Amino acid sequence: NAGVTQTPKFQVLKTGQSMTLQCAQDMNHEYMSWYRQDPGMGLRLIHYSVGAGITDQGEVPNGYNVSRSTTEDFPLRLLSAAPSQTSVYFCASSLYSGFYGYTFGSGTRLTVV
Amino acid sequence: TQLLEQSPQFLSIQEGENLTVYCNSSSVFSSLQWYRQEPGEGPVLLVTVVTGGEVKKLKRLTFQFGDARKDSSLHITAAQPGDTGLYLCAGVTYGGGSQGNLIFGKGTKLSVKP
């Protein structure tokens, strides 16, 4: 089925390790975003992209990097994992600037020990 | 900072009861979206409302966007166990460099018991 694919589904990291969360969509959506979801905090925007080659910071960007070399892929990199980055991460994409709604992936549950 | 206040945070009701979830802000949004999320999955879009005063119906769910585009409500009639889940409202930011990004409420966790 078409949609947003995130890998891996689960990941455990040690403090200080780095890793990349993968996100791919096959709907030719221009807008893509990364959110983290924490209990009591809701979903918060980490980084977003309005098209290939264009990225910008969201509400909680520290400790994360993104790049957008193609329309389809929008990976999220954790540079040096910290326990505070333990969370569930969601990638989302939208056709028209998010105005009519986003399609979300099924998430990556990350634990940093 | 734009905020969306969603209430109630938790709701536990019996099958057949009606309920309303509220989403309020002091900010104006270009559109407001409602999502439903089940455990272990990402949010799934239910509806988008874009015009002040707009009302949309999706089977037993009725969504309303406030006249001033600052608030919204979700009303469920005759709730069923299949309605159980986390309901999220999200406003689309209006103008500026972050236009199109979503501001989420913290969600309403609904449990409908048979």
Side-chain angles (χ1 to χ4, degrees):
Chain A
N1 288 340
V4 178
T5 301
Q6 288 186 240
T7 56
K9 183 74 173 175
F10 301 95
Q11 183 71 49
V12 178
L13 287 180
K14 293 182 179 179
T15 298
Q17 287 185 319
S18 62
M19 78 159 294
T20 299
L21 279 63
Q22 300 292 343
C23 175
Q25 53 91 8
D26 58 2
M27 298 171 285
N28 203 32
H29 285 176
E30 289 295 325
Y31 273 63
M32 295 187 75
S33 307
W34 276 101
Y35 292 85
R36 59 178 290 173
Q37 186 173 34
D38 302 291
M41 300 295 292
L43 282 139
R44 293 179 292 168
L45 182 65
I46 304 172
H47 284 284
Y48 65 99
S49 169
V50 300
I54 306 170
T55 63
D56 206 345
Q57 298 180 351
E59 181 185 354
V60 288
N62 291 341
Y64 307 95
N65 271 355
V66 292
S67 60
R68 184 96 180 270
S69 57
T70 67
T71 299
E72 294 78 21
D73 299 299
F74 190 43
L76 178 72
R77 297 182 185 84
L78 279 70
L79 308 174
S80 177
S84 61
Q85 293 178 303
T86 293
S87 186
V88 182
Y89 292 85
F90 290 101
C91 179
S93 72
S94 176
L95 184 58
Y96 297 119
S97 71
F99 187 81
Y100 290 108
Y102 280 82
T103 300
F104 282 80
S106 59
T108 295
R109 181 174 292 275
L110 175 69
T111 302
V112 182
V113 298
Chain B
T1 302
Q2 294 174 304
L3 292 173
L4 265 177
E5 301 290 337
Q6 195 172 336
S7 62
Q9 190 176 356
F10 299 97
L11 199 51
S12 181
I13 61 172
Q14 294 295 130
E15 182 176 2
E17 293 184 0
N18 302 332
L19 66 113
T20 302
V21 177
Y22 300 93
C23 188
N24 296 291
S25 176
S26 58
S27 301
V28 175
F29 293 101
S30 60
S31 76
L32 200 135
Q33 299 161 16
W34 286 90
Y35 293 82
R36 180 166 170 258
Q37 185 179 19
E38 301 204 30
E41 297 296 328
V44 176
L45 181 68
L46 295 174
V47 77
T48 299
V49 285
V50 301
T51 305
E54 182 176 3
V55 177
K56 279 192 174 179
K57 292 191 175 184
L58 186 66
K59 296 184 180 178
R60 294 176 293 100
L61 279 61
T62 301
F63 304 87
Q64 187 163 7
F65 201 13
D67 290 341
R69 306 160 70 97
K70 295 181 179 180
D71 56 270
S72 181
S73 63
L74 158 61
H75 182 79
I76 301 179
T77 303
Q80 298 176 1
D83 294 328
T84 293
L86 179 67
Y87 289 82
L88 299 160
C89 65
V92 178
T93 54
Y94 214 142
S98 62
Q99 183 172 352
N101 289 327
L102 292 175
I103 305 295
F104 277 90
K106 292 184 179 180
T108 295
K109 192 168 185 179
L110 172 65
S111 174
V112 182
K113 299 177 181 176

PDB file of all heavy atoms in Angstrom, chain A residues 14-46:
ATOM      1  N   LYS A  14      22.671   3.018  23.020  1.00  0.00           N
ATOM      2  CA  LYS A  14      23.402   3.438  24.213  1.00  0.00           C
ATOM      3  C   LYS A  14      23.679   4.929  24.100  1.00  0.00           C
ATOM      4  O   LYS A  14      23.833   5.473  23.000  1.00  0.00           O
ATOM      5  CB  LYS A  14      24.704   2.654  24.337  1.00  0.00           C
ATOM      6  CG  LYS A  14      24.499   1.166  24.607  1.00  0.00           C
ATOM      7  CD  LYS A  14      25.829   0.466  24.774  1.00  0.00           C
ATOM      8  CE  LYS A  14      25.619  -1.015  25.070  1.00  0.00           C
ATOM      9  NZ  LYS A  14      26.898  -1.748  25.228  1.00  0.00           N
ATOM     10  N   THR A  15      23.754   5.583  25.235  1.00  0.00           N
ATOM     11  CA  THR A  15      24.077   7.015  25.257  1.00  0.00           C
ATOM     12  C   THR A  15      25.351   7.274  24.472  1.00  0.00           C
ATOM     13  O   THR A  15      26.353   6.575  24.658  1.00  0.00           O
ATOM     14  CB  THR A  15      24.239   7.491  26.707  1.00  0.00           C
ATOM     15  OG1 THR A  15      22.996   7.315  27.400  1.00  0.00           O
ATOM     16  CG2 THR A  15      24.631   8.954  26.754  1.00  0.00           C
ATOM     17  N   GLY A  16      25.289   8.269  23.593  1.00  0.00           N
ATOM     18  CA  GLY A  16      26.446   8.645  22.796  1.00  0.00           C
ATOM     19  C   GLY A  16      26.474   8.026  21.403  1.00  0.00           C
ATOM     20  O   GLY A  16      27.207   8.509  20.531  1.00  0.00           O
ATOM     21  N   GLN A  17      25.710   6.977  21.185  1.00  0.00           N
ATOM     22  CA  GLN A  17      25.669   6.366  19.861  1.00  0.00           C
ATOM     23  C   GLN A  17      24.897   7.257  18.898  1.00  0.00           C
ATOM     24  O   GLN A  17      24.069   8.083  19.300  1.00  0.00           O
ATOM     25  CB  GLN A  17      25.020   4.983  19.918  1.00  0.00           C
ATOM     26  CG  GLN A  17      25.879   3.914  20.548  1.00  0.00           C
ATOM     27  CD  GLN A  17      25.249   2.534  20.481  1.00  0.00           C
ATOM     28  OE1 GLN A  17      24.046   2.368  20.685  1.00  0.00           O
ATOM     29  NE2 GLN A  17      26.060   1.531  20.198  1.00  0.00           N
ATOM     30  N   SER A  18      25.165   7.048  17.618  1.00  0.00           N
ATOM     31  CA  SER A  18      24.425   7.772  16.588  1.00  0.00           C
ATOM     32  C   SER A  18      23.625   6.775  15.762  1.00  0.00           C
ATOM     33  O   SER A  18      23.959   5.587  15.721  1.00  0.00           O
ATOM     34  CB  SER A  18      25.376   8.556  15.688  1.00  0.00           C
ATOM     35  OG  SER A  18      26.241   7.663  15.013  1.00  0.00           O
ATOM     36  N   MET A  19      22.574   7.274  15.135  1.00  0.00           N
ATOM     37  CA  MET A  19      21.803   6.412  14.250  1.00  0.00           C
ATOM     38  C   MET A  19      20.927   7.278  13.344  1.00  0.00           C
ATOM     39  O   MET A  19      20.753   8.481  13.584  1.00  0.00           O
ATOM     40  CB  MET A  19      20.925   5.434  15.019  1.00  0.00           C
ATOM     41  CG  MET A  19      19.650   6.010  15.586  1.00  0.00           C
ATOM     42  SD  MET A  19      18.409   4.740  15.941  1.00  0.00           S
ATOM     43  CE  MET A  19      18.013   4.123  14.318  1.00  0.00           C
ATOM     44  N   THR A  20      20.398   6.632  12.308  1.00  0.00           N
ATOM     45  CA  THR A  20      19.508   7.306  11.368  1.00  0.00           C
ATOM     46  C   THR A  20      18.171   6.594  11.333  1.00  0.00           C
ATOM     47  O   THR A  20      18.113   5.375  11.149  1.00  0.00           O
ATOM     48  CB  THR A  20      20.111   7.325   9.957  1.00  0.00           C
ATOM     49  OG1 THR A  20      21.359   8.041   9.983  1.00  0.00           O
ATOM     50  CG2 THR A  20      19.163   8.005   8.984  1.00  0.00           C
ATOM     51  N   LEU A  21      17.108   7.354  11.534  1.00  0.00           N
ATOM     52  CA  LEU A  21      15.760   6.844  11.355  1.00  0.00           C
ATOM     53  C   LEU A  21      15.350   7.133   9.917  1.00  0.00           C
ATOM     54  O   LEU A  21      15.436   8.273   9.450  1.00  0.00           O
ATOM     55  CB  LEU A  21      14.788   7.532  12.313  1.00  0.00           C
ATOM     56  CG  LEU A  21      14.715   7.039  13.758  1.00  0.00           C
ATOM     57  CD1 LEU A  21      16.039   7.235  14.469  1.00  0.00           C
ATOM     58  CD2 LEU A  21      13.611   7.769  14.513  1.00  0.00           C
ATOM     59  N   GLN A  22      14.899   6.082   9.253  1.00  0.00           N
ATOM     60  CA  GLN A  22      14.571   6.229   7.839  1.00  0.00           C
ATOM     61  C   GLN A  22      13.081   6.530   7.654  1.00  0.00           C
ATOM     62  O   GLN A  22      12.226   6.049   8.403  1.00  0.00           O
ATOM     63  CB  GLN A  22      14.910   4.945   7.079  1.00  0.00           C
ATOM     64  CG  GLN A  22      16.364   4.543   7.142  1.00  0.00           C
ATOM     65  CD  GLN A  22      17.276   5.501   6.404  1.00  0.00           C
ATOM     66  OE1 GLN A  22      16.842   6.313   5.577  1.00  0.00           O
ATOM     67  NE2 GLN A  22      18.582   5.432   6.710  1.00  0.00           N
ATOM     68  N   CYS A  23      12.791   7.348   6.641  1.00  0.00           N
ATOM     69  CA  CYS A  23      11.412   7.671   6.281  1.00  0.00           C
ATOM     70  C   CYS A  23      11.332   7.780   4.770  1.00  0.00           C
ATOM     71  O   CYS A  23      12.131   8.513   4.161  1.00  0.00           O
ATOM     72  CB  CYS A  23      10.972   8.974   6.921  1.00  0.00           C
ATOM     73  SG  CYS A  23       9.317   9.493   6.407  1.00  0.00           S
ATOM     74  N   ALA A  24      10.388   7.096   4.165  1.00  0.00           N
ATOM     75  CA  ALA A  24      10.184   7.165   2.722  1.00  0.00           C
ATOM     76  C   ALA A  24       8.692   7.213   2.426  1.00  0.00           C
ATOM     77  O   ALA A  24       7.901   6.547   3.087  1.00  0.00           O
ATOM     78  CB  ALA A  24      10.811   5.957   2.035  1.00  0.00           C
ATOM     79  N   GLN A  25       8.335   8.050   1.420  1.00  0.00           N
ATOM     80  CA  GLN A  25       6.932   8.104   0.989  1.00  0.00           C
ATOM     81  C   GLN A  25       6.884   7.978  -0.535  1.00  0.00           C
ATOM     82  O   GLN A  25       7.787   8.445  -1.233  1.00  0.00           O
ATOM     83  CB  GLN A  25       6.249   9.390   1.479  1.00  0.00           C
ATOM     84  CG  GLN A  25       6.956  10.678   1.147  1.00  0.00           C
ATOM     85  CD  GLN A  25       6.545  11.321  -0.139  1.00  0.00           C
ATOM     86  OE1 GLN A  25       5.574  10.891  -0.787  1.00  0.00           O
ATOM     87  NE2 GLN A  25       7.260  12.358  -0.548  1.00  0.00           N
ATOM     88  N   ASP A  26       5.818   7.346  -1.019  1.00  0.00           N
ATOM     89  CA  ASP A  26       5.685   7.100  -2.456  1.00  0.00           C
ATOM     90  C   ASP A  26       4.470   7.822  -3.028  1.00  0.00           C
ATOM     91  O   ASP A  26       3.877   7.365  -4.012  1.00  0.00           O
ATOM     92  CB  ASP A  26       5.630   5.601  -2.744  1.00  0.00           C
ATOM     93  CG  ASP A  26       4.496   4.909  -2.015  1.00  0.00           C
ATOM     94  OD1 ASP A  26       3.716   5.612  -1.316  1.00  0.00           O
ATOM     95  OD2 ASP A  26       4.380   3.675  -2.124  1.00  0.00           O
ATOM     96  N   MET A  27       4.077   8.927  -2.419  1.00  0.00           N
ATOM     97  CA  MET A  27       2.895   9.677  -2.851  1.00  0.00           C
ATOM     98  C   MET A  27       3.273  10.985  -3.548  1.00  0.00           C
ATOM     99  O   MET A  27       2.392  11.801  -3.836  1.00  0.00           O
ATOM    100  CB  MET A  27       2.015   9.965  -1.622  1.00  0.00           C
ATOM    101  CG  MET A  27       1.521   8.697  -0.955  1.00  0.00           C
ATOM    102  SD  MET A  27       0.695   8.996   0.624  1.00  0.00           S
ATOM    103  CE  MET A  27       2.093   9.354   1.669  1.00  0.00           C
ATOM    104  N   ASN A  28       4.549  11.200  -3.773  1.00  0.00           N
ATOM    105  CA  ASN A  28       5.040  12.420  -4.417  1.00  0.00           C
ATOM    106  C   ASN A  28       4.671  13.680  -3.619  1.00  0.00           C
ATOM    107  O   ASN A  28       4.382  14.730  -4.203  1.00  0.00           O
ATOM    108  CB  ASN A  28       4.528  12.529  -5.858  1.00  0.00           C
ATOM    109  CG  ASN A  28       5.420  13.413  -6.708  1.00  0.00           C
ATOM    110  OD1 ASN A  28       6.623  13.478  -6.514  1.00  0.00           O
ATOM    111  ND2 ASN A  28       4.812  14.109  -7.661  1.00  0.00           N
ATOM    112  N   HIS A  29       4.669  13.542  -2.284  1.00  0.00           N
ATOM    113  CA  HIS A  29       4.352  14.676  -1.428  1.00  0.00           C
ATOM    114  C   HIS A  29       5.563  15.580  -1.286  1.00  0.00           C
ATOM    115  O   HIS A  29       6.688  15.121  -1.100  1.00  0.00           O
ATOM    116  CB  HIS A  29       3.919  14.191  -0.046  1.00  0.00           C
ATOM    117  CG  HIS A  29       2.547  13.624  -0.023  1.00  0.00           C
ATOM    118  ND1 HIS A  29       1.996  13.051   1.112  1.00  0.00           N
ATOM    119  CD2 HIS A  29       1.589  13.554  -0.982  1.00  0.00           C
ATOM    120  CE1 HIS A  29       0.766  12.656   0.855  1.00  0.00           C
ATOM    121  NE2 HIS A  29       0.495  12.946  -0.418  1.00  0.00           N
ATOM    122  N   GLU A  30       5.319  16.898  -1.334  1.00  0.00           N
ATOM    123  CA  GLU A  30       6.415  17.854  -1.187  1.00  0.00           C
ATOM    124  C   GLU A  30       6.781  18.071   0.285  1.00  0.00           C
ATOM    125  O   GLU A  30       7.928  18.220   0.638  1.00  0.00           O
ATOM    126  CB  GLU A  30       6.035  19.185  -1.823  1.00  0.00           C
ATOM    127  CG  GLU A  30       5.983  19.144  -3.349  1.00  0.00           C
ATOM    128  CD  GLU A  30       7.356  18.871  -3.961  1.00  0.00           C
ATOM    129  OE1 GLU A  30       8.372  19.335  -3.401  1.00  0.00           O
ATOM    130  OE2 GLU A  30       7.414  18.159  -4.989  1.00  0.00           O
ATOM    131  N   TYR A  31       5.753  18.157   1.134  1.00  0.00           N
ATOM    132  CA  TYR A  31       5.988  18.465   2.548  1.00  0.00           C
ATOM    133  C   TYR A  31       6.257  17.179   3.321  1.00  0.00           C
ATOM    134  O   TYR A  31       5.508  16.216   3.222  1.00  0.00           O
ATOM    135  CB  TYR A  31       4.758  19.144   3.151  1.00  0.00           C
ATOM    136  CG  TYR A  31       4.729  20.636   2.983  1.00  0.00           C
ATOM    137  CD1 TYR A  31       4.666  21.209   1.728  1.00  0.00           C
ATOM    138  CD2 TYR A  31       4.762  21.486   4.087  1.00  0.00           C
ATOM    139  CE1 TYR A  31       4.630  22.584   1.555  1.00  0.00           C
ATOM    140  CE2 TYR A  31       4.723  22.857   3.932  1.00  0.00           C
ATOM    141  CZ  TYR A  31       4.664  23.392   2.669  1.00  0.00           C
ATOM    142  OH  TYR A  31       4.638  24.759   2.529  1.00  0.00           O
ATOM    143  N   MET A  32       7.332  17.187   4.122  1.00  0.00           N
ATOM    144  CA  MET A  32       7.607  16.078   5.020  1.00  0.00           C
ATOM    145  C   MET A  32       8.071  16.630   6.354  1.00  0.00           C
ATOM    146  O   MET A  32       8.720  17.684   6.411  1.00  0.00           O
ATOM    147  CB  MET A  32       8.667  15.132   4.428  1.00  0.00           C
ATOM    148  CG  MET A  32       8.205  14.427   3.163  1.00  0.00           C
ATOM    149  SD  MET A  32       9.347  13.166   2.574  1.00  0.00           S
ATOM    150  CE  MET A  32       9.046  11.827   3.760  1.00  0.00           C
ATOM    151  N   SER A  33       7.723  15.914   7.414  1.00  0.00           N
ATOM    152  CA  SER A  33       8.023  16.396   8.763  1.00  0.00           C
ATOM    153  C   SER A  33       8.401  15.228   9.659  1.00  0.00           C
ATOM    154  O   SER A  33       7.997  14.098   9.406  1.00  0.00           O
ATOM    155  CB  SER A  33       6.790  17.079   9.377  1.00  0.00           C
ATOM    156  OG  SER A  33       6.266  18.082   8.538  1.00  0.00           O
ATOM    157  N   TRP A  34       9.140  15.547  10.711  1.00  0.00           N
ATOM    158  CA  TRP A  34       9.420  14.603  11.782  1.00  0.00           C
ATOM    159  C   TRP A  34       8.849  15.163  13.088  1.00  0.00           C
ATOM    160  O   TRP A  34       9.067  16.330  13.427  1.00  0.00           O
ATOM    161  CB  TRP A  34      10.925  14.394  11.954  1.00  0.00           C
ATOM    162  CG  TRP A  34      11.511  13.384  11.027  1.00  0.00           C
ATOM    163  CD1 TRP A  34      12.210  13.630   9.877  1.00  0.00           C
ATOM    164  CD2 TRP A  34      11.454  11.968  11.163  1.00  0.00           C
ATOM    165  NE1 TRP A  34      12.595  12.456   9.300  1.00  0.00           N
ATOM    166  CE2 TRP A  34      12.143  11.413  10.062  1.00  0.00           C
ATOM    167  CE3 TRP A  34      10.894  11.105  12.105  1.00  0.00           C
ATOM    168  CZ2 TRP A  34      12.294  10.027   9.885  1.00  0.00           C
ATOM    169  CZ3 TRP A  34      11.034   9.735  11.918  1.00  0.00           C
ATOM    170  CH2 TRP A  34      11.726   9.214  10.828  1.00  0.00           C
ATOM    171  N   TYR A  35       8.138  14.285  13.806  1.00  0.00           N
ATOM    172  CA  TYR A  35       7.583  14.628  15.112  1.00  0.00           C
ATOM    173  C   TYR A  35       8.071  13.605  16.131  1.00  0.00           C
ATOM    174  O   TYR A  35       8.342  12.462  15.797  1.00  0.00           O
ATOM    175  CB  TYR A  35       6.046  14.575  15.091  1.00  0.00           C
ATOM    176  CG  TYR A  35       5.394  15.646  14.260  1.00  0.00           C
ATOM    177  CD1 TYR A  35       5.216  15.478  12.891  1.00  0.00           C
ATOM    178  CD2 TYR A  35       4.964  16.833  14.843  1.00  0.00           C
ATOM    179  CE1 TYR A  35       4.616  16.466  12.121  1.00  0.00           C
ATOM    180  CE2 TYR A  35       4.358  17.828  14.088  1.00  0.00           C
ATOM    181  CZ  TYR A  35       4.186  17.628  12.736  1.00  0.00           C
ATOM    182  OH  TYR A  35       3.598  18.615  11.979  1.00  0.00           O
ATOM    183  N   ARG A  36       8.122  14.033  17.379  1.00  0.00           N
ATOM    184  CA  ARG A  36       8.309  13.096  18.466  1.00  0.00           C
ATOM    185  C   ARG A  36       7.101  13.171  19.384  1.00  0.00           C
ATOM    186  O   ARG A  36       6.494  14.248  19.547  1.00  0.00           O
ATOM    187  CB  ARG A  36       9.603  13.356  19.242  1.00  0.00           C
ATOM    188  CG  ARG A  36       9.756  14.713  19.869  1.00  0.00           C
ATOM    189  CD  ARG A  36      11.067  14.824  20.667  1.00  0.00           C
ATOM    190  NE  ARG A  36      11.033  14.018  21.885  1.00  0.00           N
ATOM    191  CZ  ARG A  36      12.072  13.820  22.680  1.00  0.00           C
ATOM    192  NH1 ARG A  36      13.243  14.378  22.406  1.00  0.00           N
ATOM    193  NH2 ARG A  36      11.965  13.074  23.767  1.00  0.00           N
ATOM    194  N   GLN A  37       6.734  12.022  19.938  1.00  0.00           N
ATOM    195  CA  GLN A  37       5.559  11.951  20.793  1.00  0.00           C
ATOM    196  C   GLN A  37       5.969  11.430  22.158  1.00  0.00           C
ATOM    197  O   GLN A  37       6.495  10.321  22.278  1.00  0.00           O
ATOM    198  CB  GLN A  37       4.496  11.029  20.185  1.00  0.00           C
ATOM    199  CG  GLN A  37       3.179  11.031  20.954  1.00  0.00           C
ATOM    200  CD  GLN A  37       2.099  10.243  20.244  1.00  0.00           C
ATOM    201  OE1 GLN A  37       2.354   9.240  19.587  1.00  0.00           O
ATOM    202  NE2 GLN A  37       0.847  10.699  20.351  1.00  0.00           N
ATOM    203  N   ASP A  38       5.738  12.236  23.170  1.00  0.00           N
ATOM    204  CA  ASP A  38       6.096  11.897  24.538  1.00  0.00           C
ATOM    205  C   ASP A  38       4.859  12.007  25.421  1.00  0.00           C
ATOM    206  O   ASP A  38       4.021  12.895  25.217  1.00  0.00           O
ATOM    207  CB  ASP A  38       7.178  12.858  25.056  1.00  0.00           C
ATOM    208  CG  ASP A  38       8.421  12.831  24.195  1.00  0.00           C
ATOM    209  OD1 ASP A  38       9.100  11.797  24.229  1.00  0.00           O
ATOM    210  OD2 ASP A  38       8.697  13.819  23.490  1.00  0.00           O
ATOM    211  N   PRO A  39       4.748  11.145  26.430  1.00  0.00           N
ATOM    212  CA  PRO A  39       3.584  11.205  27.337  1.00  0.00           C
ATOM    213  C   PRO A  39       3.442  12.576  27.973  1.00  0.00           C
ATOM    214  O   PRO A  39       4.413  13.142  28.478  1.00  0.00           O
ATOM    215  CB  PRO A  39       3.928  10.136  28.387  1.00  0.00           C
ATOM    216  CG  PRO A  39       4.862   9.200  27.701  1.00  0.00           C
ATOM    217  CD  PRO A  39       5.667  10.055  26.762  1.00  0.00           C
ATOM    218  N   GLY A  40       2.230  13.107  27.917  1.00  0.00           N
ATOM    219  CA  GLY A  40       1.963  14.399  28.531  1.00  0.00           C
ATOM    220  C   GLY A  40       2.433  15.601  27.723  1.00  0.00           C
ATOM    221  O   GLY A  40       2.153  16.742  28.098  1.00  0.00           O
ATOM    222  N   MET A  41       3.155  15.339  26.626  1.00  0.00           N
ATOM    223  CA  MET A  41       3.686  16.454  25.829  1.00  0.00           C
ATOM    224  C   MET A  41       3.042  16.530  24.453  1.00  0.00           C
ATOM    225  O   MET A  41       3.182  17.517  23.744  1.00  0.00           O
ATOM    226  CB  MET A  41       5.200  16.299  25.651  1.00  0.00           C
ATOM    227  CG  MET A  41       5.986  16.282  26.935  1.00  0.00           C
ATOM    228  SD  MET A  41       5.873  17.858  27.788  1.00  0.00           S
ATOM    229  CE  MET A  41       6.768  18.922  26.671  1.00  0.00           C
ATOM    230  N   GLY A  42       2.381  15.495  24.043  1.00  0.00           N
ATOM    231  CA  GLY A  42       1.796  15.479  22.712  1.00  0.00           C
ATOM    232  C   GLY A  42       2.855  15.307  21.638  1.00  0.00           C
ATOM    233  O   GLY A  42       3.993  14.910  21.904  1.00  0.00           O
ATOM    234  N   LEU A  43       2.498  15.642  20.425  1.00  0.00           N
ATOM    235  CA  LEU A  43       3.410  15.545  19.272  1.00  0.00           C
ATOM    236  C   LEU A  43       4.079  16.897  19.055  1.00  0.00           C
ATOM    237  O   LEU A  43       3.408  17.927  18.958  1.00  0.00           O
ATOM    238  CB  LEU A  43       2.622  15.167  18.015  1.00  0.00           C
ATOM    239  CG  LEU A  43       2.268  13.693  17.923  1.00  0.00           C
ATOM    240  CD1 LEU A  43       0.865  13.511  17.401  1.00  0.00           C
ATOM    241  CD2 LEU A  43       3.254  12.999  16.991  1.00  0.00           C
ATOM    242  N   ARG A  44       5.406  16.873  18.947  1.00  0.00           N
ATOM    243  CA  ARG A  44       6.153  18.109  18.751  1.00  0.00           C
ATOM    244  C   ARG A  44       7.021  17.997  17.504  1.00  0.00           C
ATOM    245  O   ARG A  44       7.656  16.967  17.265  1.00  0.00           O
ATOM    246  CB  ARG A  44       7.020  18.411  19.981  1.00  0.00           C
ATOM    247  CG  ARG A  44       6.218  18.744  21.231  1.00  0.00           C
ATOM    248  CD  ARG A  44       7.130  19.001  22.429  1.00  0.00           C
ATOM    249  NE  ARG A  44       7.809  17.782  22.839  1.00  0.00           N
ATOM    250  CZ  ARG A  44       8.826  17.751  23.700  1.00  0.00           C
ATOM    251  NH1 ARG A  44       9.281  18.881  24.219  1.00  0.00           N
ATOM    252  NH2 ARG A  44       9.386  16.614  24.049  1.00  0.00           N
ATOM    253  N   LEU A  45       7.074  19.073  16.747  1.00  0.00           N
ATOM    254  CA  LEU A  45       7.774  19.101  15.473  1.00  0.00           C
ATOM    255  C   LEU A  45       9.272  19.233  15.685  1.00  0.00           C
ATOM    256  O   LEU A  45       9.745  20.132  16.376  1.00  0.00           O
ATOM    257  CB  LEU A  45       7.253  20.273  14.635  1.00  0.00           C
ATOM    258  CG  LEU A  45       7.832  20.453  13.248  1.00  0.00           C
ATOM    259  CD1 LEU A  45       7.474  19.278  12.350  1.00  0.00           C
ATOM    260  CD2 LEU A  45       7.325  21.760  12.636  1.00  0.00           C
ATOM    261  N   ILE A  46      10.037  18.341  15.039  1.00  0.00           N
ATOM    262  CA  ILE A  46      11.498  18.364  15.166  1.00  0.00           C
ATOM    263  C   ILE A  46      12.114  19.136  13.991  1.00  0.00           C
ATOM    264  O   ILE A  46      12.812  20.133  14.179  1.00  0.00           O
ATOM    265  CB  ILE A  46      12.064  16.929  15.199  1.00  0.00           C
ATOM    266  CG1 ILE A  46      11.422  16.109  16.319  1.00  0.00           C
ATOM    267  CG2 ILE A  46      13.582  16.969  15.397  1.00  0.00           C
ATOM    268  CD1 ILE A  46      11.789  14.630  16.273  1.00  0.00           C
TER     269      ILE A  46
END
